[in-house]
mmCIF file of all heavy atoms in Angstrom:
data_model
loop_
_atom_site.group_PDB
_atom_site.id
_atom_site.type_symbol
_atom_site.label_atom_id
_atom_site.label_comp_id
_atom_site.label_asym_id
_atom_site.label_seq_id
_atom_site.Cartn_x
_atom_site.Cartn_y
_atom_site.Cartn_z
ATOM 1 N N ALA A 27 -0.731 4.679 17.022
ATOM 2 C CA ALA A 27 -1.611 3.563 16.631
ATOM 3 C C ALA A 27 -1.257 3.047 15.235
ATOM 4 O O ALA A 27 -1.154 1.845 15.009
ATOM 5 C CB ALA A 27 -3.073 4.003 16.673
ATOM 6 N N ALA A 28 -1.062 3.961 14.299
ATOM 7 C CA ALA A 28 -0.755 3.571 12.915
ATOM 8 C C ALA A 28 0.729 3.307 12.754
ATOM 9 O O ALA A 28 1.564 3.965 13.370
ATOM 10 C CB ALA A 28 -1.176 4.680 11.962
ATOM 11 N N ASP A 29 1.077 2.341 11.900
ATOM 12 C CA ASP A 29 2.477 2.066 11.590
ATOM 13 C C ASP A 29 2.983 3.005 10.507
ATOM 14 O O ASP A 29 4.092 3.504 10.571
ATOM 15 C CB ASP A 29 2.632 0.618 11.118
ATOM 16 C CG ASP A 29 2.182 -0.340 12.180
ATOM 17 O OD1 ASP A 29 2.944 -0.560 13.138
ATOM 18 O OD2 ASP A 29 1.040 -0.842 12.090
ATOM 19 N N TRP A 30 2.164 3.171 9.474
ATOM 20 C CA TRP A 30 2.464 4.081 8.370
ATOM 21 C C TRP A 30 1.207 4.920 8.131
ATOM 22 O O TRP A 30 0.093 4.463 8.433
ATOM 23 C CB TRP A 30 2.730 3.319 7.067
ATOM 24 C CG TRP A 30 3.884 2.359 7.048
ATOM 25 C CD1 TRP A 30 4.922 2.260 7.936
ATOM 26 C CD2 TRP A 30 4.121 1.335 6.045
ATOM 27 N NE1 TRP A 30 5.787 1.261 7.551
ATOM 28 C CE2 TRP A 30 5.326 0.679 6.399
ATOM 29 C CE3 TRP A 30 3.458 0.930 4.893
ATOM 30 C CZ2 TRP A 30 5.864 -0.369 5.640
ATOM 31 C CZ3 TRP A 30 3.986 -0.104 4.139
ATOM 32 C CH2 TRP A 30 5.177 -0.747 4.504
ATOM 33 N N VAL A 31 1.403 6.086 7.553
ATOM 34 C CA VAL A 31 0.270 6.834 6.998
ATOM 35 C C VAL A 31 0.336 6.682 5.483
ATOM 36 O O VAL A 31 1.374 6.932 4.864
ATOM 37 C CB VAL A 31 0.347 8.325 7.396
ATOM 38 C CG1 VAL A 31 -0.594 9.150 6.517
ATOM 39 C CG2 VAL A 31 -0.024 8.497 8.860
ATOM 40 N N HIS A 32 -0.765 6.230 4.902
ATOM 41 C CA HIS A 32 -0.823 5.992 3.463
ATOM 42 C C HIS A 32 -1.310 7.259 2.769
ATOM 43 O O HIS A 32 -2.384 7.780 3.087
ATOM 44 C CB HIS A 32 -1.777 4.818 3.209
ATOM 45 C CG HIS A 32 -1.863 4.372 1.790
ATOM 46 N ND1 HIS A 32 -0.954 3.502 1.220
ATOM 47 C CD2 HIS A 32 -2.775 4.637 0.826
ATOM 48 C CE1 HIS A 32 -1.306 3.253 -0.039
ATOM 49 N NE2 HIS A 32 -2.407 3.946 -0.308
ATOM 50 N N VAL A 33 -0.500 7.744 1.836
ATOM 51 C CA VAL A 33 -0.795 9.017 1.158
ATOM 52 C C VAL A 33 -1.049 8.724 -0.322
ATOM 53 O O VAL A 33 -0.133 8.325 -1.055
ATOM 54 C CB VAL A 33 0.392 9.990 1.316
ATOM 55 C CG1 VAL A 33 0.073 11.316 0.628
ATOM 56 C CG2 VAL A 33 0.726 10.220 2.795
ATOM 57 N N ASP A 34 -2.284 8.906 -0.759
ATOM 58 C CA ASP A 34 -2.678 8.598 -2.135
ATOM 59 C C ASP A 34 -2.512 9.818 -3.019
ATOM 60 O O ASP A 34 -3.269 10.784 -2.921
ATOM 61 C CB ASP A 34 -4.140 8.145 -2.161
ATOM 62 C CG ASP A 34 -4.322 6.756 -1.578
ATOM 63 O OD1 ASP A 34 -3.676 5.817 -2.080
ATOM 64 O OD2 ASP A 34 -5.102 6.611 -0.609
ATOM 65 N N VAL A 35 -1.523 9.756 -3.895
ATOM 66 C CA VAL A 35 -1.281 10.840 -4.848
ATOM 67 C C VAL A 35 -1.914 10.449 -6.181
ATOM 68 O O VAL A 35 -1.539 9.430 -6.768
ATOM 69 C CB VAL A 35 0.235 11.088 -5.013
ATOM 70 C CG1 VAL A 35 0.496 12.132 -6.088
ATOM 71 C CG2 VAL A 35 0.855 11.501 -3.680
ATOM 72 N N MET A 36 -2.874 11.228 -6.641
ATOM 73 C CA MET A 36 -3.561 10.938 -7.915
ATOM 74 C C MET A 36 -3.488 12.167 -8.806
ATOM 75 O O MET A 36 -3.687 13.292 -8.346
ATOM 76 C CB MET A 36 -5.030 10.588 -7.657
ATOM 77 C CG MET A 36 -5.249 9.466 -6.655
ATOM 78 S SD MET A 36 -6.979 8.959 -6.636
ATOM 79 C CE MET A 36 -7.012 7.952 -5.153
ATOM 80 N N ASP A 37 -3.218 11.926 -10.106
ATOM 81 C CA ASP A 37 -2.862 13.043 -10.987
ATOM 82 C C ASP A 37 -3.907 13.399 -12.028
ATOM 83 O O ASP A 37 -3.646 14.219 -12.910
ATOM 84 C CB ASP A 37 -1.537 12.734 -11.679
ATOM 85 C CG ASP A 37 -1.653 11.577 -12.683
ATOM 86 O OD1 ASP A 37 -2.707 10.898 -12.723
ATOM 87 O OD2 ASP A 37 -0.683 11.352 -13.435
ATOM 88 N N ASN A 38 -5.081 12.767 -11.973
ATOM 89 C CA ASN A 38 -6.135 13.042 -12.965
ATOM 90 C C ASN A 38 -5.728 12.591 -14.386
ATOM 91 O O ASN A 38 -6.337 12.986 -15.374
ATOM 92 C CB ASN A 38 -6.517 14.546 -12.921
ATOM 93 C CG ASN A 38 -7.518 14.964 -13.975
ATOM 94 O OD1 ASN A 38 -7.290 15.923 -14.723
ATOM 95 N ND2 ASN A 38 -8.611 14.256 -14.038
ATOM 96 N N HIS A 39 -4.690 11.768 -14.479
ATOM 97 C CA HIS A 39 -4.310 11.208 -15.779
ATOM 98 C C HIS A 39 -4.196 9.683 -15.669
ATOM 99 O O HIS A 39 -4.877 8.969 -16.371
ATOM 100 C CB HIS A 39 -2.993 11.813 -16.266
ATOM 101 C CG HIS A 39 -3.134 13.247 -16.642
ATOM 102 N ND1 HIS A 39 -3.638 13.652 -17.858
ATOM 103 C CD2 HIS A 39 -2.872 14.380 -15.948
ATOM 104 C CE1 HIS A 39 -3.683 14.978 -17.909
ATOM 105 N NE2 HIS A 39 -3.217 15.444 -16.750
ATOM 106 N N PHE A 40 -3.346 9.233 -14.744
ATOM 107 C CA PHE A 40 -3.251 7.784 -14.532
ATOM 108 C C PHE A 40 -4.570 7.248 -13.999
ATOM 109 O O PHE A 40 -5.004 6.142 -14.328
ATOM 110 C CB PHE A 40 -2.108 7.456 -13.560
ATOM 111 C CG PHE A 40 -1.970 5.988 -13.302
ATOM 112 C CD1 PHE A 40 -1.455 5.147 -14.278
ATOM 113 C CD2 PHE A 40 -2.396 5.429 -12.099
ATOM 114 C CE1 PHE A 40 -1.365 3.773 -14.059
ATOM 115 C CE2 PHE A 40 -2.305 4.063 -11.879
ATOM 116 C CZ PHE A 40 -1.783 3.240 -12.854
ATOM 117 N N VAL A 41 -5.191 8.016 -13.130
ATOM 118 C CA VAL A 41 -6.548 7.746 -12.641
ATOM 119 C C VAL A 41 -7.368 9.024 -12.849
ATOM 120 O O VAL A 41 -6.798 10.114 -12.924
ATOM 121 C CB VAL A 41 -6.561 7.352 -11.141
ATOM 122 C CG1 VAL A 41 -5.976 5.967 -10.931
ATOM 123 C CG2 VAL A 41 -5.824 8.371 -10.288
ATOM 124 N N PRO A 42 -8.694 8.907 -12.929
ATOM 125 C CA PRO A 42 -9.497 10.116 -13.171
ATOM 126 C C PRO A 42 -9.503 11.093 -12.006
ATOM 127 O O PRO A 42 -9.734 12.286 -12.190
ATOM 128 C CB PRO A 42 -10.915 9.571 -13.429
ATOM 129 C CG PRO A 42 -10.897 8.129 -13.105
ATOM 130 C CD PRO A 42 -9.476 7.668 -12.990
ATOM 131 N N ASN A 43 -9.230 10.608 -10.821
ATOM 132 C CA ASN A 43 -9.317 11.436 -9.627
ATOM 133 C C ASN A 43 -8.057 12.300 -9.462
ATOM 134 O O ASN A 43 -7.003 12.015 -10.021
ATOM 135 C CB ASN A 43 -9.489 10.519 -8.415
ATOM 136 C CG ASN A 43 -10.152 11.192 -7.241
ATOM 137 O OD1 ASN A 43 -10.470 12.378 -7.273
ATOM 138 N ND2 ASN A 43 -10.358 10.440 -6.181
ATOM 139 N N LEU A 44 -8.194 13.348 -8.662
ATOM 140 C CA LEU A 44 -7.103 14.278 -8.389
ATOM 141 C C LEU A 44 -7.064 14.501 -6.886
ATOM 142 O O LEU A 44 -8.103 14.812 -6.278
ATOM 143 C CB LEU A 44 -7.381 15.590 -9.118
ATOM 144 C CG LEU A 44 -6.371 16.724 -8.983
ATOM 145 C CD1 LEU A 44 -5.058 16.361 -9.668
ATOM 146 C CD2 LEU A 44 -6.941 18.002 -9.610
#
Side-chain angles (χ1 to χ4, degrees):
D29 300 282
W30 299 345
V31 165
H32 185 83
V33 181
D34 288 303
V35 175
M36 306 189 193
D37 68 351
N38 176 232
H39 291 279
F40 180 73
V41 289
N43 204 358
L44 180 67

